[in-house]
């Protein structure tokens, strides 16, 4: 399958306008680190628990990785599913893939065979690149099942012990770097949180993603004196490019990768490396805030604690801002495009009560009612957005795009918001049947479909219940038939089906019947009231 089959580009007139405005630079995404390399080749670029690379060393490593990928037969435009833990190796493979013209599909570490096979199939991926074993999970076992399920995947590359597969290759560092992909075509694919069923592919072009990074760096006032701690999964849009580790590399700063987000460990990293910026989800921000009462490590270097992925409740924002010396920056956005930030010049009330304002003057935001009519400022409605870094369609998802995009190109976010007169947005809820658990979007129908495969489950409704740590926890209300089911058994069943662990229920409720609406559909509103 050709890369552009199923890709919805910006309209030609918009592309031209964005070039004339200087928004689109027409440079390959991997060159975003070029100025940092030229200005500070011997400064540290990336660090994890075992490795530090300077900008010069990172450049050489990505050259070798690009050559290695070409040596095993990958060609410009080929898609590769990349599934890594937070590490220097991830940065090298991502930049090396981009440099080779290969298009990475960025899976999360928690994804399992259901999600990975779906992503590989939809993208037409030729390769899968992964760690050998991480967090007790053997990705080589997943790889073996993947090649059986998805015929297009004929190359498996493994970081570490490859087993029966191929070790992630490196080649001649003199590999040519002039192999430019068209800047208006996909540079990489992000993965949607999934509001309906399995995750969708989000195509981000060289032009739009570079602009995303540049505007995010400006909103964070990022420069070469900053050190960025990557504690969230680095394949997420937030820690990847908002401004993320790509942003810190673009300005000549230092990215620190860790797989341990506990305050005990992370605070020590902040003190050791002088970390100035970190991105957290609300649940993690709560834990870190509480930990300042007993952890002794010096976290005073931290000037910016970005919190996003889900709404940060006002009391939690106030508490975090007090604990970290006014460092909180609320971030509200989506991998599909629009990102909003509070700014340094905002007063404390704006920082703690709103989720920020759009980062680009060219973002076009509408707040509409159920009829699609615009509502005044201060009135709740669904957020619709269009702009230079917002996609025009999911990849190879024509039916879903018909529901998610208006005929004039606005993305229907499914978020309910109120717009303040200042342009700041206050998030009030969701329209779609989605649970936001610890910053991860979980589609209820995806979990329900897998639970209904159990022979003892006759009916099921999955919904989110309020949780002080996770924001929402996943509850499965089930009508069972002749089986004794408890939570460990349910989670084992879902794991055996290959469902990612973050999608699995945190609790189950066995009920005699599920309430239904007048037309016979499960009434989740009534059920939520019954379970709360």
């Amino acid at each position: 399958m050709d890369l552009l089959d199923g890709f919805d580009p910006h309209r030609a007139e918009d592309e031209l306008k964005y070039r004339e405005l200087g928004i689109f630079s027409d440079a390959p995404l991997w060159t975003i680190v070029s100025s940092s390399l030229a200005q500070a080749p011997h400064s540290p670029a990336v660090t994890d628990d075992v490795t530090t690379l300077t900008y010069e060393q990172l450049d050489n490593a990505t050259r070798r990785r690009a050559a290695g990928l070409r040596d095993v037969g990958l060609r410009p435009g080929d898609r590769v599913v990349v599934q890594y833990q937070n590490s220097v190796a991830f940065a090298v493979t991502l930049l090396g893939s981009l440099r080779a013209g290969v298009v990475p599909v960025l899976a999360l570490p928690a994804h399992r065979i259901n999600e990975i096979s779906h992503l590989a199939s939809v993208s037409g991926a030729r390769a899968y690149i992964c760690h050998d074993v991480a967090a007790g999970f053997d990705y080589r076992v997943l790889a073996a099942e993947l090649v059986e399920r998805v015929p297009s995947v004929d190359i498996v590359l493994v970081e570490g012990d490859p087993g029966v597969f191929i070790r992630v290759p490196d080649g001649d560092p003199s590999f040519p770097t002039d192999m430019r992909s068209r800047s208006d075509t996909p540079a990489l694919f992000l993965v949607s949180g999934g509001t309906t069923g399995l995750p969708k592919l989000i195509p981000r072009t060289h032009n739009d993603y570079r602009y995303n990074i540049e505007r995010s760096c400006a909103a964070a006032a990022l420069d070469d004196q900053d050190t960025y701690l990557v504690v969230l999964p680095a394949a997420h849009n937030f820690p990847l490019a908002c401004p993320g580790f790509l942003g810190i590399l673009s300005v000549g700063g230092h990215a620190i990768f860790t797989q341990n987000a506990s305050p005990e460990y992370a605070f020590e990293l902040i003190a050791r490396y002088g970390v100035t910026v970190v991105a957290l989800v609300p649940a993690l921000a709560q834990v870190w805030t509480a930990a300042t009462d007993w952890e002794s490590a010096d976290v005073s270097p931290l000037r910016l604690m970005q919190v996003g992925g889900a709404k940060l409740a006002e009391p939690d924002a106030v508490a975090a801002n007090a604990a970290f010396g006014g460092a909180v920056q609320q971030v509200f956005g989506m991998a599909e495009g629009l990102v909003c930030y509070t700014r340094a010049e905002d007063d404390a009330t704006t920082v703690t009560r709103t989720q920020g304002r759009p980062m680009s003057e060219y973002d076009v935001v509408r707040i509409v009612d159920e009829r699609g009519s615009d509502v005044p400022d201060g009135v709740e409605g669904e957020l619709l957005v269009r702009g230079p870094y917002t996609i025009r369609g999911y990849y190879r998802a024509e039916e879903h795009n018909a529901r998610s995009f208006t005929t004039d190109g606005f993305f229907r976010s499914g978020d309910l918001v109120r717009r303040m007169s200042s342009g700041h947005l206050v998030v009030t809820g969701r329209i779609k049947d989605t649970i936001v658990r610890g910053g991860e979007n979980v589609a209820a129908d995806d979990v329900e479909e897998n639970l209904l495969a159990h022979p003892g489950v006759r009916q099921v409704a999955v919904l989110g219940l309020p949780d002080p740590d996770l924001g929402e926890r996943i509850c499965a209300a089930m009508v069972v038939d002749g089986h004794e089911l408890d939570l460990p058994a349910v989670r084992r069943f879902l794991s055996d089906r290959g469902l990612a662990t973050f999608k699995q229920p945190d609790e189950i409720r066995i009920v005699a019947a599920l309430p239904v609406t007048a037309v016979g559909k499960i009434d989740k509103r009534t059920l939520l009231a019954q379970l709360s």
Side-chain angles (χ1 to χ4, degrees):
M1 292 186 286
D2 183 83
L3 173 64
L4 299 185
D5 290 342
F7 167 62
D8 295 302
H10 285 292
R11 296 178 303 175
E13 57 267 35
D14 289 335
E15 288 272 357
L16 178 60
K17 177 180 70 175
Y18 297 146
R19 287 189 175 90
E20 291 175 344
L21 290 168
I23 291 174
F24 285 175
S25 63
D26 289 328
L29 183 58
W30 63 266
T31 64
I32 201 162
V33 301
S34 296
S35 62
S36 301
L37 170 66
Q39 294 171 19
H42 304 302
S43 294
V46 288
T47 293
D48 60 20
D49 291 339
V50 296
T51 304
T52 292
L53 298 180
T54 66
Y55 277 92
E56 184 175 69
Q57 291 168 331
L58 177 63
D59 181 65
N60 287 333
T62 59
R63 286 175 182 271
R64 291 194 298 270
R65 186 59 44 90
L69 295 175
R70 296 299 303 278
D71 288 345
V72 297
L74 292 170
R75 294 294 177 261
D78 284 345
R79 278 76 70 201
V80 296
V81 177
V82 176
Q83 189 174 28
Y84 269 75
Q85 302 290 322
N86 287 3
S87 59
V88 167
F90 173 63
V92 170
T93 292
L94 174 60
L95 292 169
S97 298
L98 294 170
R99 197 162 199 156
V102 172
V103 183
V105 179
L106 298 182
L108 302 178
H111 282 148
R112 295 297 179 256
I113 187 61
N114 274 15
E115 294 87 8
I116 297 299
S117 60
H118 170 74
L119 298 175
S121 179
V122 171
S123 67
R126 282 203 57 207
Y128 172 61
I129 310 178
C130 62
H131 280 290
D132 49 7
V133 178
F137 182 77
D138 192 332
Y139 289 90
R140 297 165 300 187
V141 175
L142 186 156
E145 187 168 355
L146 176 64
V147 295
E148 291 184 2
R149 288 195 187 189
V150 184
S152 67
V153 178
D154 57 4
I155 299 170
V156 173
L157 307 175
V158 179
E159 193 80 44
D161 178 1
V164 300
F165 300 112
I166 303 169
R167 189 182 303 278
V168 178
D170 289 317
D172 184 348
S174 64
F175 175 79
T177 59
D178 58 352
M179 301 169 45
R180 290 180 167 236
S181 302
R182 276 179 48 193
S183 55
D184 57 352
T185 62
L188 54 81
F189 290 97
L190 302 173
V191 176
S192 76
T195 54
T196 53
L198 288 163
K200 296 171 290 298
L201 289 174
I202 299 169
R204 301 303 299 262
T205 70
H206 297 267
N207 273 337
D208 81 56
Y209 215 45
R210 190 177 188 119
Y211 182 66
N212 184 109
I213 294 165
E214 290 170 352
R215 294 310 305 156
S216 292
C217 286
L222 213 63
D223 64 27
D224 60 359
Q225 298 304 301
D226 279 308
T227 298
Y228 183 95
L229 180 60
V230 187
V231 297
L232 300 178
H236 263 300
N237 185 48
F238 188 14
L240 178 66
C242 300
F245 80 85
L246 290 179
I248 197 70
L249 293 179
S250 75
V251 299
H254 188 187
I256 312 294
F257 292 88
T258 182
Q259 299 170 37
N260 185 347
S262 70
E264 178 183 13
Y265 189 74
F267 286 9
E268 193 276 327
L269 291 178
I270 292 171
R272 186 195 316 170
Y273 292 106
V275 169
T276 58
V277 183
V278 68
L280 305 176
V281 294
L284 198 50
Q286 289 176 321
V287 172
W288 280 30
T289 298
T292 59
D293 286 339
W294 63 80
E295 291 294 340
S296 60
D298 178 16
V299 295
S300 63
L302 194 67
R303 69 166 183 85
L304 196 65
M305 175 187 279
Q306 298 182 301
V307 186
K311 182 176 179 178
L312 179 64
E314 183 182 349
D316 295 328
V318 171
N321 221 25
F324 291 94
V328 168
Q329 180 183 54
Q330 292 219 44
V331 183
F332 165 63
M334 53 207 72
E336 291 85 353
L338 177 72
V339 187
C340 300
Y341 296 93
T342 58
R343 309 299 209 277
E345 63 268 22
D346 290 335
D347 59 46
T349 299
T350 300
V351 169
T352 56
R353 291 186 180 177
T354 81
Q355 281 64 63
R357 56 185 171 85
M359 66 178 179
S360 170
E361 61 188 294
Y362 302 108
D363 286 316
V364 183
V365 170
R366 295 180 61 204
I367 316 296
V368 302
D369 60 20
E370 293 178 352
R371 299 181 300 276
S373 300
D374 291 275
V375 301
D377 286 352
V379 176
E380 180 185 81
E382 183 185 7
L383 170 66
L384 275 58
V385 61
R386 185 177 69 190
Y389 62 98
T390 295
I391 64 170
R392 298 285 296 212
Y394 294 107
Y395 193 58
R396 297 177 179 165
E398 185 175 350
E399 182 178 337
H400 190 83
N401 288 340
R403 298 190 300 270
S404 296
F405 294 84
T406 66
T407 54
D408 54 351
F410 280 87
F411 172 59
R412 303 180 188 273
S413 72
D415 292 298
L416 293 171
V417 304
R418 289 184 288 110
R419 179 165 47 196
M420 313 298 287
S421 58
S422 62
H424 291 75
L425 301 181
V426 177
V427 178
T428 57
R430 290 281 297 171
I431 291 175
K432 300 174 183 177
D433 192 7
T434 303
I435 301 159
V436 184
R437 180 192 184 277
E440 297 282 5
N441 288 343
V442 178
D445 61 350
D446 187 16
V447 186
E448 289 165 352
E449 181 179 345
N450 279 277
L451 284 170
L452 285 169
H454 191 290
V457 177
R458 192 165 76 237
Q459 282 187 305
V460 63
V462 170
L463 63 168
L465 298 181
D467 187 276
D469 298 320
L470 297 170
E472 289 184 296
R473 65 185 184 276
I474 301 172
C475 176
M478 300 187 296
V479 179
V480 299
D481 187 11
H483 285 72
E484 293 289 333
L485 285 177
D486 58 14
L487 183 60
V490 167
R491 291 179 66 90
R492 283 196 300 273
F493 173 77
L494 294 175
S495 292
D496 289 344
R497 285 183 59 81
L499 190 71
T501 53
F502 71 83
K503 296 182 178 182
Q504 297 176 15
D506 299 294
E507 66 174 282
I508 63 170
R509 306 276 186 96
I510 306 300
V511 297
L514 294 173
V516 295
T517 65
V519 295
K521 294 184 178 181
I522 293 174
D523 186 347
K524 288 193 174 181
R525 186 184 298 270
T526 299
L527 180 61
L528 181 61
Q530 293 175 353
L531 298 180
S532 298

